[in-house]
Amino acid sequence: MKYTAFVKRDCETCQLVVPALQELAHHAELVVLSQDDPSFPEAMGGAGDDRELEHSFRAGITTVPTLIAYADDDQETARTEGWD
């Protein structure tokens, strides 16, 4: 299973979920994309740069944080928007 997380520094919830993303990264392949600051989250060494929102647009992101799970064949299997 692979995951992609979309985050923003300017999002308080995104800041709160960094420890959960760090834990997930220890157990699975995780790509983190930041919509506003690629140095965020610093605790994870930063993120991919999505300031142009190209990746967000292609993935249909309307809310951050969003976590998308992909099967090994890159088909989306689940999506969590916001955080519960």
Side-chain angles (χ1 to χ4, degrees):
M1 191 72 66
K2 299 182 269 187
Y3 298 88
T4 299
F6 292 84
V7 298
K8 290 174 76 164
R9 175 184 297 285
D10 192 32
C11 163
E12 290 182 27
T13 305
C14 295
Q15 293 176 23
L16 291 172
V17 302
V18 169
L21 294 176
Q22 287 177 294
E23 183 66 24
L24 179 59
H26 288 300
H27 301 285
E29 183 180 334
L30 173 65
V31 172
V32 179
L33 296 170
S34 176
Q35 293 181 337
D36 64 351
D37 182 355
S39 68
F40 173 77
E42 291 84 357
M44 297 183 70
D49 186 352
D50 194 29
R51 289 178 287 184
E52 299 287 326
L53 302 178
E54 179 182 335
H55 299 285
S56 294
F57 178 77
R58 281 191 272 147
I61 302 302
T62 59
T63 302
V64 290
T66 293
L67 181 67
I68 302 174
Y70 296 94
D72 291 332
D73 63 359
D74 292 331
Q75 293 297 315
E76 183 176 328
T77 59
R79 179 181 291 230
T80 300
E81 296 175 332
W83 215 267
D84 193 8

